[in-house]
Amino acid sequence: MIEFEEALKIILSREVFPEAEEVELSCSINRVLAQDAVSDMDMPPFNKSAVDGYACRRSDLADELKVLEIIPAGQIPQFRIKENECSKVMTGAMVPEGADCIIMIEDVEVLSSDKIKFTAEKTSDNICYTGEDIRLGDVVLKKGLLIKPQHIAVLASVGYSRPKVYRKPKVNIITTGDELVEPHQKPDVGKIRNSNAWQLIAQCEAMNVSVDYSGIAPDSKEETLVMIRKALADNDVILITGGVSMGDYDYVPDVLLEAGFTFYFKSVAMQPGRPTLFSSHKSGKFCFGLPGNPVSSFNQFELLVKPLLYKMMGHVYKPVVLHLPLAKDFHRKKSKRLNFIPVLLNPEGEALPVEYHGSAHINSLNDAYGLMSIPIGTTEIKKGDIVNVRPV
Ligand code: AMP
Ligand code: MG
């Protein structure tokens, strides 16, 4: 059994070779940039009005101003502003030559069809100056960035309609267990519904990773081997849940050996999540054996699988860890493993452990804001002490 940090180090020390492809901008969410994005223009590209108002000279603010024209957004001004002159401008319109401020419509009295007067005490410039946000040639987004909606706005603004991103790894999911039926079925006596597969598929999809599902492998070496071999042919990563532990029917390690996998570790000092296995195939593909219990499988995907998938997508994953005060005293008897406890955020902003009966308690995560980690060796944490919480 190895510790979590060691397991993560082993996983992240695997060499991977992400390839790039171009995709439509609209499909680039949650993909990773495979190129620096360089701006082909200044932003804004011209001095732009930040408000609806009148473009004029600051030195004329005490006087009546003659209105020369109306300048809508997208149009080129026809007149230069000279002494005691102004032009009406819309938000986003080009500021006419000669003007050094835009007075807001709210601060203006209209005297006649072409005369106005500034009525406030002072005004800001209300001008967004050429290039103040982005300069032509600026690297606006760096290679390796995980693309979020706000980055898509930046890519759109600087003309990346088909950004180059790294190829998605192909993940295949296999669940094991004679006791499992699929969600549309009513389980007979002694059976339960397969929740892991659907949870893992969703976890992959939330990352915009390609995911395929092989189905439920019965607790049989032969049938599990057939499924693993088939999944291996066409995928980069296999996630197989259940059958990894010490039970009589936990065949996954044997079957992976037979399929040609080499193990890096077979159990991790984590609670939940101890029976977690990581292996690679000579073809360069990877396989995680994840615990059968759904909370463990969820956590191990977040904590160990995700960093590898991101690495395969060309992204260095740096999960957020918050330091929050604990809402009530915490106690545990055993402290040999790194413990992850689901917590919610109470109105005081403290981490409050939710009711949690262990790794099969699937609905314990319903209201969880994150996972609080309790280090090896720690049995007691007092209310108000700072704990590490990883949002999930
Ligand atoms: P195992 O590691 O195969 O012994 O499974 C550990 C526990 O997780 C057992 O109680 C299984 O019934 C349960 N389990 C295994 N696979 C799944 C699954 N796909 N969905 C829900 N529970 C599962
Ligand atoms: Mg099983």
Side-chain angles (χ1 to χ4, degrees):
M1 186 155 73
I2 63 171
E3 290 188 14
F4 167 68
E5 290 75 16
E6 179 65 12
L8 189 60
K9 213 157 119 193
I10 290 170
I11 291 167
L12 289 177
S13 65
R14 296 299 94 210
E15 267 199 274
V16 295
F17 306 97
E19 287 166 17
E21 62 182 351
E22 273 185 11
V23 293
E24 287 297 326
L25 184 57
S26 58
C27 302
S28 65
I29 183 71
N30 284 338
R31 301 293 296 269
V32 177
L33 260 190
Q35 62 185 150
D36 285 347
V38 179
S39 181
D40 65 347
M41 60 190 286
D42 289 332
M43 276 301 286
F46 47 85
N47 288 342
K48 187 177 79 172
S49 178
V51 295
D52 295 319
Y54 294 85
C56 61
R57 307 185 330 168
R58 202 169 265 289
S59 51
D60 298 338
L61 286 182
D63 304 313
E64 284 182 11
L65 303 175
K66 180 174 178 344
V67 182
L68 302 177
E69 61 173 329
I70 298 176
I71 310 170
Q75 299 298 314
I76 299 172
Q78 300 299 304
F79 301 105
R80 185 187 168 85
I81 306 297
K82 299 190 293 295
E83 190 177 352
N84 290 345
E85 291 177 345
C86 69
S87 286
K88 194 172 191 186
V89 290
M90 306 299 134
T91 304
M94 289 178 78
V95 176
E97 292 288 327
D100 56 13
C101 67
I102 319 290
I103 51 179
M104 291 167 67
I105 262 178
E106 295 87 331
D107 296 339
V108 164
E109 186 186 340
V110 177
L111 303 173
S112 68
S113 62
D114 68 346
K115 275 265 154 41
I116 61 145
K117 178 110 189 41
F118 180 58
T119 54
E121 300 211 322
K122 55 184 177 170
T123 179
S124 307
D125 287 356
N126 297 319
I127 297 173
C128 307
Y129 291 98
T130 306
E132 73 176 15
D133 299 336
I134 295 172
R135 285 278 180 199
L136 167 73
D138 277 355
V139 173
V140 280
L141 299 173
K142 283 227 154 61
K143 182 173 162 174
L145 175 98
L146 181 63
I147 300 173
K148 298 282 166 209
Q150 60 272 34
H151 302 131
I152 291 186
V154 177
L155 290 168
S157 300
V158 300
Y160 283 76
S161 60
R162 287 181 60 81
K164 217 184 253 180
V165 297
Y166 288 109
R167 199 174 67 78
K168 304 180 194 189
K170 284 173 141 184
V171 180
N172 191 279
I173 289 162
I174 303 174
T175 44
T176 69
D178 282 343
E179 74 279 29
L180 300 178
V181 299
E182 294 293 14
H184 66 277
Q185 293 169 288
K186 181 94 181 168
D188 282 339
V189 181
K191 313 263 180 186
I192 57 166
R193 288 198 180 95
N194 169 20
S195 53
N196 282 345
W198 305 101
Q199 178 172 250
L200 284 169
I201 290 168
Q203 284 176 293
C204 287
E205 281 176 347
M207 290 180 69
N208 199 358
V209 156
S210 301
V211 58
D212 253 326
Y213 174 44
S214 293
I216 301 169
D219 287 320
S220 129
K221 278 191 187 175
E222 295 69 32
E223 288 177 73
T224 309
L225 183 61
V226 169
M227 263 191 177
I228 287 176
R229 287 215 166 113
K230 198 153 164 256
L232 195 53
D234 202 26
N235 294 281
D236 305 302
V237 178
I238 300 174
L239 305 180
I240 182 160
T241 78
V244 181
S245 200
M246 309 297 276
D248 288 359
Y249 304 98
D250 289 339
Y251 293 135
V252 168
D254 287 353
V255 174
L256 286 175
L257 261 187
E258 198 165 335
F261 280 88
T262 310
F263 299 123
Y264 298 100
F265 54 80
K266 287 196 206 162
S267 73
V268 188
M270 296 167 79
Q271 187 190 14
R274 176 169 46 196
T276 298
L277 160 171
F278 178 58
S279 60
S280 73
H281 193 260
K282 50 184 181 294
S283 59
K285 304 183 174 190
F286 299 104
C287 179
F288 283 91
L290 299 177
N293 274 315
V295 177
S296 315
S297 154
F298 176 88
N299 286 6
Q300 293 302 47
F301 183 94
E302 291 297 319
L303 299 166
L304 293 174
V305 179
K306 215 177 217 189
L308 179 71
L309 293 179
Y310 274 134
K311 181 168 177 174
M312 296 175 82
M313 291 165 79
H315 174 64
V316 179
Y317 178 52
K318 294 196 187 108
V320 172
V321 178
L322 301 175
H323 308 296
L324 299 174
L326 186 63
K328 61 177 189 190
D329 291 352
F330 173 86
H331 172 79
R332 64 170 173 162
K333 288 199 191 93
K334 295 187 194 155
S335 66
K336 287 211 168 103
R337 290 190 273 159
L338 175 63
N339 200 183
F340 285 92
I341 304 277
V343 294
L344 53 79
L345 215 51
N346 72 11
E348 288 70 45
E350 299 163 325
L352 177 66
V354 302
E355 188 185 338
Y356 174 58
H357 315 147
S359 57
H361 188 181
I362 186 66
N363 55 327
S364 65
L365 293 174
N366 282 0
D367 300 321
Y369 168 77
L371 301 173
M372 161 172 89
S373 59
I374 318 290
I376 290 175
T378 300
T379 50
E380 298 273 349
I381 306 178
K382 291 267 167 253
K383 175 180 161 56
D385 285 356
I386 300 300
V387 292
N388 288 344
V389 174
R390 209 202 264 227
V392 290

